[in-house]
Amino acid sequence: QVQLVESGGGLVQPGGSLRLSCAASGSIFSINVMGWYRQAPGKQRELVAAITSGGSTNYAISVKGRFTISRDNAKNTVTLQMNSLKPEDTAVYYCNTVPFSLRSWGQGTQVTVSS
């Protein structure tokens, strides 16, 4: 099981951008699908973006057109570029495999969108 460490969160105004990074402790080359999840206060954790080892992507309807997921298998990193952020994007963001691995959850990174 790879260990995952997320970073890049912070406080941003509505309409702003953030770039989240996920660093894996081991190789992600053989992991077919990696994803970014988020959990808002009082809500269930949800998958917002996924990317296959071949680079195909899929997004939740709520973030489509605003978020872009990418992966670098050589550097064992997964990135989430978030643009046009909205207050409803406020959540703790996590990366993990898809489907997720219970042992791979990291601490996440807090994203707060507020004026």
Side-chain angles (χ1 to χ4, degrees):
Q1 302 290 340
V2 293
Q3 299 302 307
L4 301 164
V5 178
E6 302 89 352
S7 62
L11 173 64
V12 63
Q13 292 186 341
S17 299
L18 282 175
R19 187 177 180 86
L20 306 184
S21 294
C22 171
S25 61
S27 175
I28 64 170
F29 179 79
S30 62
I31 299 176
N32 186 28
V33 186
M34 293 293 299
W36 280 95
Y37 300 76
R38 70 184 181 187
Q39 187 167 20
K43 295 187 177 181
Q44 288 189 334
R45 195 169 297 186
E46 62 173 341
L47 177 66
V48 296
I51 185 168
T52 69
S53 56
S56 296
T57 58
N58 199 16
Y59 299 93
I61 292 174
S62 58
V63 307
K64 197 168 186 178
R66 301 187 297 121
F67 290 11
T68 302
I69 188 172
S70 59
R71 65 190 283 174
D72 187 330
N73 291 334
K75 296 182 179 179
N76 299 316
T77 58
V78 184
T79 300
L80 186 68
Q81 177 66 44
M82 305 186 297
N83 299 327
S84 302
L85 283 162
K86 304 175 181 181
E88 51 263 43
D89 294 318
T90 295
V92 180
Y93 285 71
Y94 305 85
C95 66
N96 205 324
T97 58
V98 180
F100 63 79
S101 166
L102 285 174
R103 296 183 179 181
S104 293
W105 288 117
Q107 295 298 309
T109 186
Q110 176 71 48
V111 172
T112 303
V113 185
S114 175
S115 55

